[in-house]
């Protein structure tokens, strides 16, 4: 029965389509390449096809889109995985991809909260830092997350990224904690 609610939730990272998770599925270019076309409809179509192919083989959810902002082109994680270096571009293309996913039955996940793209390091290997002030964060990442949450984003993936502007130094370590384990960014923002 397709409508059963007691079966497993099948999830994968398909921010560039299902072709890297499902043999024979479409492998799309990066979100940055899509944004460079100047046609946001392509981001929607990419999300639509990703959702259709993923749902056809039983997936329910994807870890995408990447809605980071490229503030440092040397960033090893998001420099081509996100739409660009302006919040409006990220909102437009990330939002269209998310809509394509959601409209076609695949849950989406915005990532990497509170925002990657400014570090020289890989947040999967070490805690990176989002260096923006509160005013800068609110005008960039805050704007992106607010708009996309208001547009129906069902989930957000926190990253191993500290946000000193909205957090406190951990008394034990003497460091700002990553958002993945920090109450300040996770519940305050």
């Amino acid at each position: 029965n397709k409508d059963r609610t007691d079966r497993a939730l099948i999830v994968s990272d398909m921010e560039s389509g299902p072709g890297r998770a499902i043999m024979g599925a479409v492998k799309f270019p990066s979100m940055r390449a899509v944004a460079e076309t100047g046609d946001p409809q392509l981001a929607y179509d990419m999300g639509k096809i990703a959702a259709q192919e993923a749902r056809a083989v039983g997936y329910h959810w994807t870890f995408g889109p990447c809605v980071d902002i490229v503030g440092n082109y040397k960033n090893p994680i998001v420099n081509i995985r996100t739409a660009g270096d302006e919040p409006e571009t990220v909102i437009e293309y990330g939002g269209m991809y998310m809509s394509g996913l959601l409209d076609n039955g695949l849950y989406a996940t915005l990532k990497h909260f509170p925002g990657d793209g400014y570090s020289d390091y890989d947040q999967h290997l070490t805690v990176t830092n989002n260096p923006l002030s509160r005013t800068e964060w609110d005008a960039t990442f805050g704007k992106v997350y607010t708009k996309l949450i208001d547009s129906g984003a069902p989930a957000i993936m926190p990253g191993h990224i500290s946000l000193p502007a909205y957090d406190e130094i951990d008394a034990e370590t003497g460091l700002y904690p990553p958002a993945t384990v920090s109450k300040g960014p996770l519940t305050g923002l």
Side-chain angles (χ1 to χ4, degrees):
N1 182 347
K2 286 183 169 181
D3 297 324
R4 291 185 57 165
T5 58
D6 61 344
R7 59 187 181 165
L9 181 65
I10 309 299
V11 182
S12 186
D13 190 338
M14 293 182 231
E15 69 185 50
S16 291
R20 289 172 180 77
I22 302 168
M23 287 179 58
V26 176
K27 290 183 182 178
F28 290 106
S30 69
M31 186 59 70
R32 182 59 181 249
V34 174
E36 291 296 325
T37 69
D39 185 357
Q41 182 63 41
L42 293 175
Y44 181 90
D45 293 343
M46 190 166 96
K48 176 182 175 179
I49 293 166
Q52 290 172 344
E53 289 188 331
R55 293 295 296 138
V57 296
Y59 283 87
H60 304 99
W61 203 316
T62 183
F63 299 137
C66 177
V67 295
D68 294 303
I69 299 169
V70 180
N72 172 1
Y73 286 95
K74 294 179 183 177
N75 181 281
I77 297 303
V78 303
N79 58 1
I80 64 167
R81 289 172 60 193
T82 190
D85 54 9
E86 295 294 329
E88 294 76 16
T89 303
V90 172
I91 291 166
E92 184 172 28
Y93 285 85
M96 289 294 281
Y97 183 72
M98 179 182 78
S99 293
L101 295 170
L102 295 174
D103 290 350
N104 291 277
L106 192 67
Y107 286 108
T109 305
L110 305 178
K111 63 182 180 182
H112 304 92
F113 181 83
D116 201 350
Y118 281 80
S119 175
D120 285 339
Y121 302 103
D122 179 342
Q123 62 150 313
H124 301 94
L125 303 175
T126 187
V127 174
T128 61
N129 177 49
N130 183 314
L132 301 180
S133 69
R134 283 183 179 217
T135 302
E136 292 167 329
W137 190 89
D138 291 347
T140 56
F141 292 102
K143 184 176 183 178
V144 169
Y145 280 98
T146 298
K147 178 66 175 169
L148 294 177
I149 289 167
D150 290 347
S151 296
I156 297 172
M157 178 188 292
H160 305 300
I161 305 161
S162 67
L163 185 62
Y166 276 100
D167 212 349
E168 303 292 325
I169 291 176
D170 181 91
E172 270 186 54
T173 66
L175 303 169
Y176 288 99
T180 47
V181 296
S182 182
K183 185 177 180 180
L186 285 181
T187 62
L189 293 174

